[in-house]
Amino acid sequence: MPPKKPSFRHSPPSADKGASVKPITAPARTAKAKAKLAAPLSARVDTSPEPVDDATLVDIFSRLRAADPEPRSELDYINPYTLLVAVVLSAQATDKSVNLATAPLFALADTPEKMLALGEERVRHFIRTIGLFNTKAKNVIALSRILIERHGGEVPREAEALEVLPGVGTKTASVVLNVAFGVPRIAVDTHIFRVSNRIPLFVAPTTDKVQAGLEARVPEPFRLNAHHWLILHGRYTCKARRPDCPRCAIADLCRYPSKTTDLTPISATE
């Protein structure tokens, strides 16, 4: 009888008898959702172009100001409280989707007291078309309660007090301070992060570092509206996949090495 050929099939390692696979619980899912909302944006940054010099920086913001002298937020709001709620809801969502959801919500609840009376279930119903609406509904109710208990129902004007509210981080606090109270903060979202690293205005791998760098670099006369100019520039001109460089007002000042050009129309006879 020929010798038995060795088997090359690999058996999986035996599991411990007492071990069992535990399903992900609701609290674990909630914690993951909260972490997803709170995680700062970061990326590998190509630092080959040197940031523009101070004179060029002034030219850039002068042109952006000339094109849009009085920029405003594209989020709809009634007062500082509804602005705060709208910005919390806008995390990983478009301003358009937030505005569609908050129009009927704010018609019923434009103060922390009214929002708390509305309740989490009804808030969830209004914002159900927005991503992560379960976690966001909890945050809106929780922050409304804190505003009533600790701040007399008013939105605080200090970054430290804002950043401890549920669902509120550095970016949200900066937007509220800038838009509602005229504090010259430059909140950095995905658009501003891209624009700053592309031009480059300030190069850094995280949103927090870009914000600190921009607030240190942008001259005081432009600082109040810089957030709006940069976000609108990134949203409509310096877009992620294909920046519209041929129609960009600052293309000649920008050092981005991969500028786009107009596409040549193909003739019907070709």
Side-chain angles (χ1 to χ4, degrees), residues 154-190:
E154 299 293 325
V155 175
R157 295 172 178 246
E158 300 79 28
E160 296 77 11
L162 284 168
E163 290 175 13
V164 298
L165 296 173
V168 178
T170 302
K171 189 195 82 167
T172 299
S174 295
V175 172
V176 172
L177 290 172
N178 179 260
V179 176
F181 303 123
V183 179
R185 299 291 294 270
I186 305 177
V188 176
D189 70 345
T190 181

Side-chain angles (χ1 to χ4, degrees), residues 45-52 196-203 254-259:
V45 175
D46 181 1
T47 58
S48 54
E50 287 293 323
V52 297
S196 180
N197 280 295
R198 262 187 186 171
I199 291 175
L201 303 175
F202 184 82
V203 175
C254 172
R255 298 177 178 179
Y256 182 51
S258 303
K259 289 189 178 72

Side-chain angles (χ1 to χ4, degrees), residues 16-246:
D16 294 338
K17 292 183 179 180
S20 60
V21 179
K22 295 182 179 180
I24 299 176
T25 61
R29 285 195 297 269
T30 301
K32 287 184 178 180
K34 289 181 178 178
K36 192 175 181 181
L37 282 174
L41 179 69
S42 63
R44 185 185 67 81
V45 175
D46 181 1
T47 58
S48 54
E50 287 293 323
V52 297
D53 55 56
D54 291 344
T56 303
L57 190 70
V58 170
D59 286 344
I60 287 172
F61 280 103
S62 296
R63 293 187 192 182
L64 295 176
R65 180 173 62 184
D68 189 2
E70 297 182 1
R72 66 178 301 274
S73 172
E74 292 190 323
L75 284 172
D76 294 335
Y77 64 96
I78 301 168
N79 52 34
Y81 170 71
T82 53
L83 173 65
L84 172 62
V85 172
V87 181
V88 167
L89 297 180
S90 71
Q92 299 182 38
T94 64
D95 288 357
K96 183 178 179 180
S97 68
V98 172
N99 290 337
L100 289 172
T102 56
L105 174 62
F106 292 161
L108 293 177
D110 59 358
T111 67
E113 293 82 3
K114 291 178 183 177
M115 193 70 74
L116 208 56
L118 201 60
E120 183 180 321
E121 185 175 348
R122 293 197 66 192
V123 172
R124 187 184 303 115
H125 172 77
F126 280 108
I127 67 171
R128 66 191 183 282
T129 56
I130 302 174
L132 300 171
F133 65 92
N134 284 316
T135 299
K136 290 178 180 179
K138 291 179 185 294
N139 288 339
V140 168
I141 291 298
L143 72 82
S144 298
R145 182 176 290 108
I146 293 173
L147 290 178
I148 294 170
E149 294 175 351
R150 301 182 189 174
H151 303 284
E154 299 293 325
V155 175
R157 295 172 178 246
E158 300 79 28
E160 296 77 11
L162 284 168
E163 290 175 13
V164 298
L165 296 173
V168 178
T170 302
K171 189 195 82 167
T172 299
S174 295
V175 172
V176 172
L177 290 172
N178 179 260
V179 176
F181 303 123
V183 179
R185 299 291 294 270
I186 305 177
V188 176
D189 70 345
T190 181
H191 299 296
I192 297 178
F193 182 78
R194 177 175 67 254
V195 168
S196 180
N197 280 295
R198 262 187 186 171
I199 291 175
L201 303 175
F202 184 82
V203 175
T206 68
T207 54
D208 288 348
K209 289 181 179 179
V210 168
Q211 176 167 343
L214 288 176
E215 289 178 352
R217 282 212 73 196
V218 174
E220 192 277 332
F222 305 108
R223 206 171 298 149
L224 179 62
N225 290 320
H227 163 77
H228 295 302
W229 287 321
L230 293 177
I231 195 172
L232 294 173
H233 184 67
R235 187 172 288 168
Y236 298 113
T237 302
C238 195
K239 295 173 281 190
R241 292 190 177 181
R242 183 176 174 79
D244 198 358
C245 300

